Amino acid sequence: DTAVSQTPKYLVTQMGNDKSIKCEQNLGHDTMYWYKQDSKKFLKIMFSYNNKELIINETVPNRFSPKSPDKAHLNLHINSLELGDSAVYFCATTYADGELFFGEGSRLTVL
Amino acid sequence: DAKTTQPNSMESNEEEPVHLPCNHSTISGTDYIHWYRQLPSQGPEYVIHGLTSNVNNRMASLAIAEDRKSSTLILHRATLRDAAVYYCILRGRGYNTDKLIFGTGTRLQVFP
C-alpha cells in the first residue's frame, strides 16, 4: 500500500479551467501539507492542515482552495488556472515532529 | 526564507564516501535537523534526522556540530542510485505552525 497517494499523476489543461488534485494518506497522521515545486525545482509550502483544520496558508492566491473532508484526505482545488500554476504539486503528511512522507507528485501543465 | 544553506552541487565517485554539509546558524534549541533527498521525477524521501547527537541509520549518518549551527550528512559508500538533490531542513517541535521550509538543496552527482 502506498502511504501517500495522489491523483492524478499528470494533468494537462487549458488556462481558465478549474481542476482538482486529490491526496490520501493511510498512515493515520494528523497533519498534511501541499507543496509546489516549480520549474526551478524549488519546493515551496502552500498549505498545512492539522486534523482537518487549516494551520498554514502561505500567501497562496485564493484561486487555490484546499479541502480536508477527513484527516486522511487533503484535496487541492484550483480555479481559473493560469500558466504560472504549471508545476509539480506534492502532498505530504507527518505526525508530531517526525519525518515527512511525500506522495509521488502531480504534474500540472496549463496550456 | 530557508533557514539552512547548502552548496548547490557536489560530485562523487561510486563507492566513495560523501559528506554533504549544511549550515543552520539560526537554529533554535528545539529544532530538529532533518535531511531529505529527491530522486529524479519522485517526491522527496526522508533520509535521517537528529537533535544533538550524531545519528546512524541504514541509509546514512548525520554528524551534528557541537554548537548545532551546522551538520553533515554522510553517505558511507555512494552508489549511482544516490544521485539526487539532498535537502537539509529544520523542524521545530511546534509542528502545528512549522512551515518546513526547503532550501535549494545540494545536487549530488555520482560517477561510475
Side-chain angles (χ1 to χ4, degrees):
Chain A
D1 273 350
T2 304
V4 183
S5 58
Q6 298 180 224
T7 53
K9 285 193 70 173
Y10 300 95
L11 186 54
V12 181
T13 188
Q14 301 285 333
M15 277 177 57
N17 284 349
D18 303 338
K19 291 293 177 186
S20 293
I21 306 172
K22 295 184 177 181
C23 178
E24 176 181 3
Q25 55 103 355
N26 63 7
L27 297 169
H29 294 170
D30 287 336
T31 306
M32 296 183 74
Y33 303 84
W34 276 110
Y35 280 83
K36 177 182 180 181
Q37 189 168 45
D38 59 22
S39 57
K40 295 181 180 177
K41 305 296 184 184
F42 193 67
L43 260 173
K44 186 171 181 180
I45 191 167
M46 299 174 68
F47 300 102
S48 163
Y49 267 72
N50 179 257
N51 207 12
K52 302 194 298 176
E53 181 184 350
L54 178 65
I55 302 298
I56 295 170
N57 181 342
E58 277 297 285
T59 60
V60 177
N62 57 16
R63 297 183 296 105
F64 290 78
S65 50
K67 286 197 170 43
S68 182
D70 54 64
K71 74 174 194 178
H73 295 85
L74 181 61
N75 304 324
L76 185 64
H77 188 75
I78 316 170
N79 289 329
S80 304
L81 278 157
E82 301 178 356
L83 293 176
D85 298 332
S86 295
V88 182
Y89 292 84
F90 289 100
C91 177
T93 182
T94 189
Y95 62 95
D97 51 12
E99 64 204 70
L100 283 165
F101 292 84
F102 284 83
E104 293 188 349
S106 297
R107 181 176 294 276
L108 171 65
T109 303
V110 182
L111 303 175
Chain B
D1 291 335
K3 302 179 196 174
T4 62
T5 55
Q6 301 174 250
N8 285 336
S9 62
M10 292 185 67
E11 296 178 354
S12 174
N13 293 318
E14 234 183 334
E15 300 194 3
E16 287 184 354
V18 181
H19 291 229
L20 298 163
C22 181
N23 287 322
H24 28 79
S25 57
T26 60
I27 190 170
S28 75
T30 54
D31 283 342
Y32 286 83
I33 302 156
H34 280 235
W35 282 82
Y36 292 80
R37 72 179 187 181
Q38 187 173 20
L39 280 65
S41 301
Q42 293 189 28
E45 65 173 343
Y46 169 81
V47 177
I48 201 167
H49 79 282
L51 184 62
T52 55
S53 304
N54 295 343
V55 184
N56 299 301
N57 67 19
R58 63 175 178 80
M59 289 180 73
S61 295
L62 175 60
I64 301 173
E66 200 168 328
D67 63 5
R68 301 206 329 123
K69 293 185 176 182
S70 65
S71 61
T72 303
L73 179 70
I74 302 166
L75 307 178
H76 295 286
R77 290 181 67 193
T79 69
L80 296 178
R81 290 185 301 172
D82 290 325
V85 178
Y86 287 79
Y87 296 97
C88 162
I89 69 171
L90 301 181
R91 180 96 207 261
R93 282 190 180 166
Y95 67 93
N96 277 357
T97 57
D98 196 335
K99 295 182 181 179
L100 299 173
I101 297 171
F102 283 72
T104 53
T106 297
R107 180 173 298 278
L108 175 66
Q109 289 183 282
V110 181
F111 298 105

